[in-house]
Structures are given as structure tokens and as C-alpha cells.
Amino acid sequence: MQICHGKSIFHSIAMGKIRVYSKKEKEIKRMAIHDVARELERYGNVVEVAKEQLKQLHNKALKEVGEADAAIFEIHQMMLEDVDYSDSVKHIITSQRVNVEYAIHETADYFANMFASMKDDYMRGRVADIRDISERLLSILTGQSTVPFEVKEPVILLADDLAPSETVQFDKDEILAFVTVQGSVNSHTAILARTMGIPALVNTQIKLTEELDGMTAIVDGMEGILYLDPDAETVQRMQEKKAEVEEKARQLLDLKGKKDITPDGRKVMLYANIGNPKDLPLVLKNDAQGIGLFRSEFLFMESKSHPTEEEQFCAYKTVAETMAGKRVIIRTLDIGTDKKIDYFNLESEENPALGYRAIRICLTQPDIFKTQLRAILRASVYGNIAIMYPMITSAEEVRQIKGIVEEVKDELHSQKIAYNDIMQGIMIETPAAVMISDELAKEVDFFSIGTNDLTQYTLAIDRQNSRLDAFYDAHHPAVLKMIRMVVENAHKAGIWAGICGELAADMTLTKEFLAMGVDELSVSPEQILPLRKRIREE
Ligand code: PEP
Ligand code: MG
């Protein structure tokens, strides 16, 4: 048995087999070749193999997910036959006398950049397809699998690191636990694991080797320990501990249907954070009063290209209808920093957390923003939707956003498309927003304090850097004073203020937050009932 320590993200226990997830970057080298004809033949062959793979995928998808979703595999087959694409590959091979892998790589870059710079949404959406077909060709040529991950039974996923865009690909039912060698407790990967209610360890002291694949292991999320090949005594002890944890969770279910009210009669809005309609069963199971933060960017991350208005509308409508009249706060796209999306083609930056992210992208790429606003407004007639904007730093930004919302409403009105006049709020997650919260409060209907970013920007600590986890002190007096100030300014202007950052679930602070007058706490679904218990306690 081997014992490895890590930092725990979610306090639960998992037992099962390990699956090592390794992402081998395809390193494409430019190599001079002598036999051009042979290289052209290799290209012809690889295209045929790829088309055959796509044909089979198309047939499989037709049976499993229907025609609309299967169509993408047909489109990819057509793209492989595209004359411009294949002429470019062939031209690079013949004129530069280089290997086919390099020619495909260069062609993919050329077309992806060309599509990315186009105004038309549809054409921009093709960037991901170009990358996809090129990846397929390269995977066949380099003998790698194109299937990112397939599991037959739920596993403990062990990886060096996981980006949020990778984490969202996994199905909750396939994963017993996440364990990563890198990673910080405040990253979005950690937040995702918490939202999915899955035990997870980051920053784990373990050397990743292929031999770990298939090994039996136990993740103790209470203590932050990974047991590899556990002995019989440990298995017995952990089984008992798991049973205890499950019993406690069962007892908490008695709180379902009970009010979120303090002993002295104060009502609290206890909401859930989600990233996807797939999280809704957990929200219902844990009886949240509403959704306080729907991180809409995860919809974008799961998609291979910009989700269309229709796709977004369906997702927002599903959430609104499922919540059946309970409030659903949709946060507009917040990408950048660790939340990367290939098809946005964002340039890499020296300081991404201080860079081109969230509302800054929306305000400078209004087409993307307006598509999302249209989808949200259209979905608003199916439930109780509110909208929230991330990373606000000035009142001018808010006024600009409200102007765009009015334009979108006018457009819908003239097209005779129904929408509701929904509440608009902002995230308070920059020190600037805190300091002008009196002014901002006059512009919006509510505040939601994002303590994850607010702590990062106030303490000048990168939330992604696990070496700084010990310095990332969300209980810092500066952060707590800021929360107090925001709530006071909100109340002076007659609006409500909540917390949707991870600190909202910190039960050592619940009483302090309530004493400050915090009106809403929004936490991951599994944290709802423990927090309800805390709110109701003396
Ligand atoms: C926050 O910053 O506290 C927040 C809720 O947003 P995110 O974690 O998605 O950046
Ligand atoms: Mg944030």
C-alpha cells in the first residue's frame, strides 16, 4: 500500500480502480523529405482512413443521438474532401518538400486563422471543425487514439492536471473521483468537481506512471489522502468511514422542504451554483431555493464551436423550466484565464487573470454577447430568469451593457418575439467594484459577490497557483471588510446582495455573513443542506 497526500476539494470518499489520463501533446516536426510522391500518397491514404472513421461515427451517432447531432460527422467528411484544404496540404508538401504531418499542421493553422478573422458567426464557428479534422488526420498518422477517454465502469481519474475544458467533458456517472498532481484548490477545475459533488484531490504528491492504470485505490476526501493498492485493514476502515459519511448525508435529507430561516426569523436565499443543465438533478435532490450562479461559459466549453442562439436558448429554457418558477441567475460568458476555449482564438497573455476576459470580451465582441442576451431573454418567458455580468469595474461598463440589452430587447420586440423584463445584477469581484459599490447599486437590481476573484485581486494572489494556496486567505480582514461594505451599499440603495464565491459555503463564517446582512448564499448543490442546517442553528 502507498499513501499519497493531496489537497482535498470535496469531503467524501471514493473507492475503485484508477484510470490514468495522459494527454500526449502532438509535437509536429518539420522534416525534409526526398520522395514527394510517397508523401502525397500518405496524404491520400490518411484521408481515406479518416473518412471511413467518420462514416462509422456518423452511423453510430445516428442510432444514439439522432440526425441533428450526427450531422457534424458528415460535415467533417465533406471538409476532408474540400479542394482548398487538400490543395494547400499538397502544395506545402511539393513546394517545400516537407512531411505530410507538417503540411497538415500548417494548413490547419492557416484556415483556422482565416476563419477566426471573419465577421460571420457561422464561418468563425468552423475554426473548431478545421482543427478537429486536422487533429484526426494527425492522430491517424501518429498512431494515437482520437477518442479522448472512454470508460466501461466508473473510475478514479488520475491526471497530471486538468483544464476546466477537459473536466467538463467527463460524465459525472463515469468518475468516482478526480486526483491531480498539479492544480490549486481555487481553480475552476476544483469548483467543477465540487459542483459535480465528486471527491477530488489536487496537488497530490504522486508520480504518474502507466503502471497505476487499473490499480485499486481509495480517495479520502476528508483527510486529503490517496491510498494506492490499500491493505485489508485500510479498506475496512475506509468502508466504515464511507458508511458514516453516507449516513450523515441521509440525515441531512430531512432538511429538504424546510425553510432557510435563522432562529431569530431572518430569511436567507439559499441558492445553488451550476455550470450546466446536467447539474440540475443535484440541485433538485438538495432542494436549493434557486440558482444563484449559472456559469454559462461551461456551455461554451462543452461545444466545439460557438453555441448558436438556439442551442443556448434550449439550455437556459431547460434550467428555467426545471426550476419551475424559482429564480435562476444566469451569468453571461466569463472566459479567459484558466477557462480557455480554442475557437475563441484568444492570444496568450502575460497576465491572463488581469487580461482579456469575461465582460471585456463581451463588450468588444458584441455579436457573441448579443447572441447570448437574445437566448437568455427568449428563455425568460419560461421561468424566473435573472441575468448577471462578471468582472465589472466601472459604472460606465454597466451602462454600456444595459444599452446593449435595450438594443436586443428592441430587436426582439420588432420581431414579435416574447421576453420578460428581467432583473439585472452584477458580480462584485474586483476591488474597484467594491469601492464604487454605492454608485453601482443605483444601476442594478442586485449584487453577487464573487469572493474567488475578489480574494485573488485584493490579496494580489493568483488563484491558479497552488504554491500560493497557503497565502490565499479568503478570511483576510480586507476581504471581510469589503463584503460588509458591499452589503451596506446595496441595502442603502434598496437592492439585495449575496455571495456566490466558494466562501459562501464556509460555515465558520455563516453567522458573520448573516450578521453583516448578506441576503443570499449560493453554493455548490451538495453544500446546500449542510448550510441550511447551519443557518437554522442557534
Ligand atoms: C468568483 O470569482 O467568486 C466567482 C463566483 O466566479 P468564478 O469562480 O467563476 O470566477
Ligand atoms: Mg469570478
PDB file of all heavy atoms in Angstrom, residues 2-7 179-181 202-207 226 228:
ATOM      1  N   GLN A   2       0.463   2.253  -0.791  1.00  0.00           N
ATOM      2  CA  GLN A   2       1.203   3.525  -0.794  1.00  0.00           C
ATOM      3  C   GLN A   2       0.240   4.647  -0.400  1.00  0.00           C
ATOM      4  O   GLN A   2      -0.928   4.644  -0.825  1.00  0.00           O
ATOM      5  CB  GLN A   2       1.745   3.759  -2.203  1.00  0.00           C
ATOM      6  CG  GLN A   2       2.749   4.895  -2.291  1.00  0.00           C
ATOM      7  CD  GLN A   2       3.069   5.217  -3.749  1.00  0.00           C
ATOM      8  OE1 GLN A   2       2.889   4.372  -4.637  1.00  0.00           O
ATOM      9  NE2 GLN A   2       3.527   6.427  -4.005  1.00  0.00           N
ATOM     10  N   ILE A   3       0.731   5.583   0.422  1.00  0.00           N
ATOM     11  CA  ILE A   3      -0.128   6.686   0.860  1.00  0.00           C
ATOM     12  C   ILE A   3       0.381   7.987   0.241  1.00  0.00           C
ATOM     13  O   ILE A   3       1.555   8.325   0.367  1.00  0.00           O
ATOM     14  CB  ILE A   3      -0.118   6.804   2.405  1.00  0.00           C
ATOM     15  CG1 ILE A   3      -0.731   5.540   3.004  1.00  0.00           C
ATOM     16  CG2 ILE A   3      -0.846   8.049   2.874  1.00  0.00           C
ATOM     17  CD1 ILE A   3      -0.762   5.525   4.522  1.00  0.00           C
ATOM     18  N   CYS A   4      -0.506   8.707  -0.453  1.00  0.00           N
ATOM     19  CA  CYS A   4      -0.100   9.979  -1.071  1.00  0.00           C
ATOM     20  C   CYS A   4      -1.007  11.090  -0.534  1.00  0.00           C
ATOM     21  O   CYS A   4      -2.226  10.908  -0.446  1.00  0.00           O
ATOM     22  CB  CYS A   4      -0.269   9.932  -2.581  1.00  0.00           C
ATOM     23  SG  CYS A   4       0.426   8.468  -3.344  1.00  0.00           S
ATOM     24  N   HIS A   5      -0.403  12.216  -0.207  1.00  0.00           N
ATOM     25  CA  HIS A   5      -1.191  13.327   0.325  1.00  0.00           C
ATOM     26  C   HIS A   5      -1.503  14.354  -0.760  1.00  0.00           C
ATOM     27  O   HIS A   5      -0.688  14.615  -1.624  1.00  0.00           O
ATOM     28  CB  HIS A   5      -0.428  14.000   1.478  1.00  0.00           C
ATOM     29  CG  HIS A   5      -0.333  13.109   2.674  1.00  0.00           C
ATOM     30  ND1 HIS A   5      -1.269  13.124   3.677  1.00  0.00           N
ATOM     31  CD2 HIS A   5       0.550  12.144   2.992  1.00  0.00           C
ATOM     32  CE1 HIS A   5      -0.958  12.205   4.574  1.00  0.00           C
ATOM     33  NE2 HIS A   5       0.152  11.599   4.187  1.00  0.00           N
ATOM     34  N   GLY A   6      -2.706  14.915  -0.663  1.00  0.00           N
ATOM     35  CA  GLY A   6      -3.095  15.964  -1.610  1.00  0.00           C
ATOM     36  C   GLY A   6      -3.979  16.970  -0.885  1.00  0.00           C
ATOM     37  O   GLY A   6      -4.219  16.853   0.314  1.00  0.00           O
ATOM     38  N   LYS A   7      -4.445  17.963  -1.649  1.00  0.00           N
ATOM     39  CA  LYS A   7      -5.364  18.938  -1.038  1.00  0.00           C
ATOM     40  C   LYS A   7      -6.782  18.567  -1.460  1.00  0.00           C
ATOM     41  O   LYS A   7      -7.053  18.412  -2.667  1.00  0.00           O
ATOM     42  CB  LYS A   7      -5.036  20.343  -1.516  1.00  0.00           C
ATOM     43  CG  LYS A   7      -3.700  20.837  -0.977  1.00  0.00           C
ATOM     44  CD  LYS A   7      -3.404  22.216  -1.511  1.00  0.00           C
ATOM     45  CE  LYS A   7      -1.986  22.623  -1.136  1.00  0.00           C
ATOM     46  NZ  LYS A   7      -1.467  23.673  -2.014  1.00  0.00           N
ATOM     47  N   VAL A 179      -8.144  12.982  -9.185  1.00  0.00           N
ATOM     48  CA  VAL A 179      -6.911  13.225  -8.432  1.00  0.00           C
ATOM     49  C   VAL A 179      -5.903  13.829  -9.406  1.00  0.00           C
ATOM     50  O   VAL A 179      -5.642  13.253 -10.468  1.00  0.00           O
ATOM     51  CB  VAL A 179      -6.334  11.910  -7.854  1.00  0.00           C
ATOM     52  CG1 VAL A 179      -5.029  12.190  -7.115  1.00  0.00           C
ATOM     53  CG2 VAL A 179      -7.334  11.247  -6.916  1.00  0.00           C
ATOM     54  N   THR A 180      -5.370  14.998  -9.068  1.00  0.00           N
ATOM     55  CA  THR A 180      -4.372  15.589  -9.969  1.00  0.00           C
ATOM     56  C   THR A 180      -3.078  15.895  -9.222  1.00  0.00           C
ATOM     57  O   THR A 180      -3.083  16.139  -8.015  1.00  0.00           O
ATOM     58  CB  THR A 180      -4.879  16.895 -10.638  1.00  0.00           C
ATOM     59  OG1 THR A 180      -5.123  17.866  -9.622  1.00  0.00           O
ATOM     60  CG2 THR A 180      -6.131  16.678 -11.435  1.00  0.00           C
ATOM     61  N   VAL A 181      -1.991  15.855  -9.987  1.00  0.00           N
ATOM     62  CA  VAL A 181      -0.679  16.140  -9.402  1.00  0.00           C
ATOM     63  C   VAL A 181      -0.543  17.652  -9.215  1.00  0.00           C
ATOM     64  O   VAL A 181      -0.039  18.133  -8.207  1.00  0.00           O
ATOM     65  CB  VAL A 181       0.438  15.615 -10.337  1.00  0.00           C
ATOM     66  CG1 VAL A 181       1.808  15.930  -9.772  1.00  0.00           C
ATOM     67  CG2 VAL A 181       0.266  14.117 -10.546  1.00  0.00           C
ATOM     68  N   VAL A 202      -6.253  17.744  -5.282  1.00  0.00           N
ATOM     69  CA  VAL A 202      -5.316  18.393  -6.201  1.00  0.00           C
ATOM     70  C   VAL A 202      -3.974  18.472  -5.507  1.00  0.00           C
ATOM     71  O   VAL A 202      -3.876  18.223  -4.291  1.00  0.00           O
ATOM     72  CB  VAL A 202      -5.797  19.810  -6.610  1.00  0.00           C
ATOM     73  CG1 VAL A 202      -7.066  19.737  -7.420  1.00  0.00           C
ATOM     74  CG2 VAL A 202      -5.988  20.712  -5.392  1.00  0.00           C
ATOM     75  N   ASN A 203      -2.950  18.823  -6.292  1.00  0.00           N
ATOM     76  CA  ASN A 203      -1.624  18.996  -5.707  1.00  0.00           C
ATOM     77  C   ASN A 203      -1.211  17.745  -4.914  1.00  0.00           C
ATOM     78  O   ASN A 203      -0.753  17.834  -3.784  1.00  0.00           O
ATOM     79  CB  ASN A 203      -1.678  20.228  -4.775  1.00  0.00           C
ATOM     80  CG  ASN A 203      -0.361  20.949  -4.762  1.00  0.00           C
ATOM     81  OD1 ASN A 203       0.233  21.115  -3.716  1.00  0.00           O
ATOM     82  ND2 ASN A 203       0.124  21.334  -5.913  1.00  0.00           N
ATOM     83  N   THR A 204      -1.404  16.602  -5.536  1.00  0.00           N
ATOM     84  CA  THR A 204      -1.160  15.330  -4.852  1.00  0.00           C
ATOM     85  C   THR A 204       0.278  14.867  -5.080  1.00  0.00           C
ATOM     86  O   THR A 204       0.784  14.929  -6.199  1.00  0.00           O
ATOM     87  CB  THR A 204      -2.143  14.258  -5.394  1.00  0.00           C
ATOM     88  OG1 THR A 204      -3.454  14.843  -5.409  1.00  0.00           O
ATOM     89  CG2 THR A 204      -2.168  13.024  -4.523  1.00  0.00           C
ATOM     90  N   GLN A 205       0.892  14.433  -3.997  1.00  0.00           N
ATOM     91  CA  GLN A 205       2.302  14.004  -4.084  1.00  0.00           C
ATOM     92  C   GLN A 205       2.353  12.586  -4.658  1.00  0.00           C
ATOM     93  O   GLN A 205       2.359  11.609  -3.912  1.00  0.00           O
ATOM     94  CB  GLN A 205       2.933  13.968  -2.679  1.00  0.00           C
ATOM     95  CG  GLN A 205       2.666  15.173  -1.822  1.00  0.00           C
ATOM     96  CD  GLN A 205       3.368  16.396  -2.368  1.00  0.00           C
ATOM     97  OE1 GLN A 205       4.534  16.323  -2.726  1.00  0.00           O
ATOM     98  NE2 GLN A 205       2.653  17.506  -2.456  1.00  0.00           N
ATOM     99  N   ILE A 206       2.352  12.486  -5.947  1.00  0.00           N
ATOM    100  CA  ILE A 206       2.371  11.170  -6.575  1.00  0.00           C
ATOM    101  C   ILE A 206       3.100  11.259  -7.920  1.00  0.00           C
ATOM    102  O   ILE A 206       3.023  12.290  -8.603  1.00  0.00           O
ATOM    103  CB  ILE A 206       0.932  10.638  -6.785  1.00  0.00           C
ATOM    104  CG1 ILE A 206       0.964   9.229  -7.331  1.00  0.00           C
ATOM    105  CG2 ILE A 206       0.116  11.523  -7.672  1.00  0.00           C
ATOM    106  CD1 ILE A 206      -0.402   8.562  -7.383  1.00  0.00           C
ATOM    107  N   LYS A 207       3.817  10.194  -8.242  1.00  0.00           N
ATOM    108  CA  LYS A 207       4.494  10.182  -9.543  1.00  0.00           C
ATOM    109  C   LYS A 207       3.594   9.419 -10.511  1.00  0.00           C
ATOM    110  O   LYS A 207       3.241   8.269 -10.254  1.00  0.00           O
ATOM    111  CB  LYS A 207       5.852   9.479  -9.383  1.00  0.00           C
ATOM    112  CG  LYS A 207       6.764   9.661 -10.545  1.00  0.00           C
ATOM    113  CD  LYS A 207       8.177   9.238 -10.159  1.00  0.00           C
ATOM    114  CE  LYS A 207       9.134   9.106 -11.308  1.00  0.00           C
ATOM    115  NZ  LYS A 207       8.653   9.060 -12.634  1.00  0.00           N
ATOM    116  N   LEU A 226      -4.727   9.787  -0.720  1.00  0.00           N
ATOM    117  CA  LEU A 226      -4.970   8.766  -1.741  1.00  0.00           C
ATOM    118  C   LEU A 226      -4.235   7.497  -1.300  1.00  0.00           C
ATOM    119  O   LEU A 226      -3.023   7.517  -1.078  1.00  0.00           O
ATOM    120  CB  LEU A 226      -4.422   9.249  -3.090  1.00  0.00           C
ATOM    121  CG  LEU A 226      -4.373   8.211  -4.208  1.00  0.00           C
ATOM    122  CD1 LEU A 226      -5.774   7.861  -4.705  1.00  0.00           C
ATOM    123  CD2 LEU A 226      -3.533   8.715  -5.389  1.00  0.00           C
ATOM    124  N   LEU A 228      -3.042   3.923  -2.445  1.00  0.00           N
ATOM    125  CA  LEU A 228      -2.864   3.088  -3.629  1.00  0.00           C
ATOM    126  C   LEU A 228      -2.731   1.649  -3.182  1.00  0.00           C
ATOM    127  O   LEU A 228      -1.998   1.374  -2.219  1.00  0.00           O
ATOM    128  CB  LEU A 228      -1.592   3.490  -4.372  1.00  0.00           C
ATOM    129  CG  LEU A 228      -1.623   4.866  -5.031  1.00  0.00           C
ATOM    130  CD1 LEU A 228      -0.241   5.222  -5.561  1.00  0.00           C
ATOM    131  CD2 LEU A 228      -2.647   4.898  -6.160  1.00  0.00           C
TER     132      LEU A 228
END
